[in-house]
Amino acid sequence: MGPFLEQLAVLVVALVAAALILLAFVAFLSATKIPDIYWRKEENFFLNAAGKKEALPTIHDAPTKQLSIIVPSYNEEKRLPLMMDEALGYLEMRQKQDPAFTYEVIVVDDGSKDQTSQVALNYCQKYGNDKVRVITLLKNRGKGGAIKTGVFTSRGRKVLMADADGATKFADLEKLEKELGNLQPWPDQMAIACGSRAHLEKESIAQRSYFRTFLMHGFHFLVWFLCVKEIRDTQCGFKLLTREAALLTFSNLHVERWAFDVELLYIAQFFKIPIAEVAVNWTEIEGSKLVPFWSWLQMGKDLLFIRLQYLTGIWKLVNTRKKN
């Protein structure tokens, strides 16, 4: 029995080593030092309120708005209106109170199969294309890819990521702005404030099955062990970045699906960008695109992939601000 167990152990180790070598080889073949920002020619515009095409600006241009809100949307025709009504109601009220406050909402339709783009265009027609812009991607790229597209066409001095489901109370933007200000002085004008649901963890555990709770804790451990140690909730979709921080982090971002938040914060910590974690009001909204087991499995795989890429030096972080 002893020799058999020894042989089995050797076989397991050999299989694991072979899997890691194969993963590293695939990673090497598919990796780039700095990710390319790409659009199809048909995507390099937005539709204005009249339905005509206009060229997209870039984040390298001088900012002309105080705030850009990026809303990644995939098959969100039902949930998007509630979020847009709340967000635009708040933004319009704030602009009336302070006429110097300017904003834009960029809805990025991530290859939806429903009427997400048309729903968003209705708001463009109501508020004007200077305030609401719709970018329609022909192919689904993932949440991270959709947000990256919006970030690189934004005009704001600050950039807010906000989910299309409206799970976070939009007025909590003020909490993020306050904590972002408390991080000053910002090194190279860079800082990030992350919305957090960590304070709701005990309540959420009481409502989850033991299996989902196990998956959640497993994912949090992997995030802490492999990538990000100082942020309790990396996955909340409500994040506020200065324009400079958005440019640097998203220029280096490789992951385009659910685990992109983790890589984004990993990059920010590498460049020593100050990060604040801010408790926000959050309500679970029906219709989530996350499939409990498979989505967590995919994100766990992505975390291992992220760590392996940076550990082996296949992915390298480049300070694009110094390069430019």
Side-chain angles (χ1 to χ4, degrees):
M1 193 68 178
F4 172 75
L5 289 177
E6 289 179 4
Q7 291 177 357
L8 182 62
V10 170
L11 178 61
V12 170
V13 171
L15 288 174
V16 171
L20 289 174
I21 292 171
L22 179 62
L23 183 58
F25 180 69
V26 171
F28 176 77
L29 292 178
S30 62
T32 55
K33 290 184 179 180
I34 303 179
D36 293 326
I37 306 302
Y38 63 90
W39 290 273
R40 295 169 183 260
K41 186 180 295 185
E42 300 89 339
E43 296 171 344
N44 199 26
F45 64 86
F46 69 93
L47 292 176
N48 62 25
K52 295 183 178 180
K53 299 178 181 180
E54 290 192 25
L56 291 166
T58 81
I59 196 171
H60 297 285
D61 300 333
T64 57
K65 302 287 182 184
Q66 287 192 8
L67 179 68
S68 293
I69 301 98
I70 315 299
V71 186
S73 305
Y74 178 66
N75 293 341
E76 293 288 3
E77 64 178 6
K78 294 182 178 179
R79 300 197 299 178
L80 185 61
L82 292 174
M83 180 272 171
M84 292 291 282
D85 288 340
E86 181 189 0
L88 288 163
Y90 167 84
L91 293 165
E92 286 292 293
M93 178 192 69
R94 182 162 167 176
Q95 192 171 66
K96 287 180 180 178
Q97 295 173 347
D98 178 14
F101 173 74
T102 55
Y103 73 88
E104 65 174 347
V105 178
I106 303 174
V107 178
V108 184
D109 180 348
D110 190 21
S112 297
K113 299 176 182 178
D114 64 2
Q115 297 299 309
T116 294
S117 283
Q118 185 55 54
V119 169
L121 281 170
N122 292 338
Y123 289 92
C124 178
Q125 292 168 353
K126 181 178 180 180
Y127 292 92
N129 56 267
D130 189 52
K131 289 184 176 180
V132 180
R133 294 187 168 183
V134 183
I135 301 172
T136 303
L137 302 181
L138 299 181
K139 183 180 179 181
N140 178 267
R141 288 178 55 183
K143 184 179 178 181
I147 292 177
K148 183 192 292 187
T149 300
V151 166
F152 273 83
T153 63
S154 63
R155 297 175 289 164
R157 291 185 176 87
K158 297 184 181 70
V159 179
L160 176 71
M161 297 157 42
D163 287 343
D165 61 4
T168 305
K169 187 176 180 182
F170 199 84
D172 282 354
L173 165 64
E174 296 175 19
K175 295 181 180 180
L176 268 61
E177 289 175 318
K178 180 180 178 182
E179 290 304 316
L180 198 71
N182 289 340
L183 292 174
Q184 289 182 322
W186 302 329
D188 295 322
Q189 294 301 305
M190 293 189 293
I192 300 174
C194 298
S196 175
R197 303 157 298 180
H199 62 294
L200 302 172
E201 189 170 297
K202 289 184 179 179
E203 180 181 339
S204 66
I205 287 175
Q207 298 173 357
R208 284 193 176 104
S209 67
Y210 288 115
F211 181 63
R212 289 189 67 182
T213 299
F214 172 77
L215 289 176
M216 179 190 71
H217 284 304
F219 177 75
H220 287 173
F221 173 76
L222 285 177
V223 170
W224 175 85
F225 184 72
L226 297 172
C227 300
V228 179
K229 299 188 184 300
E230 298 175 7
I231 305 298
R232 293 178 63 195
D233 182 7
T234 58
Q235 301 309 111
C236 181
F238 207 60
K239 293 182 175 68
L240 182 66
L241 303 86
T242 62
R243 188 176 184 83
E244 292 78 9
L247 174 59
L248 180 58
T249 53
F250 278 93
S251 292
N252 282 279
L253 189 73
H254 296 81
V255 175
E256 293 196 328
R257 296 201 175 271
W258 295 109
F260 86 95
D261 299 83
V262 178
E263 189 192 2
L264 186 79
L265 294 173
Y266 177 87
I267 294 167
Q269 290 189 338
F270 176 87
F271 287 115
K272 295 181 169 46
I273 298 174
I275 305 172
E277 189 169 10
V278 187
V280 295
N281 293 291
W282 186 85
T283 305
E284 188 163 351
I285 307 295
E286 291 185 4
S288 173
K289 305 299 184 298
L290 277 172
V291 181
F293 176 75
W294 295 111
S295 295
W296 289 111
L297 188 65
Q298 175 66 43
M299 286 192 285
K301 180 179 75 70
D302 286 346
L303 293 179
L304 291 169
F305 191 69
I306 290 168
R307 185 57 181 161
L308 178 63
Q309 295 282 47
Y310 285 117
L311 190 64
T312 58
I314 295 170
W315 287 354
K316 298 183 185 298
L317 296 175
V318 178
N319 192 333
T320 53
R321 286 173 54 81
K322 290 182 179 180
K323 185 176 179 181
N324 291 336

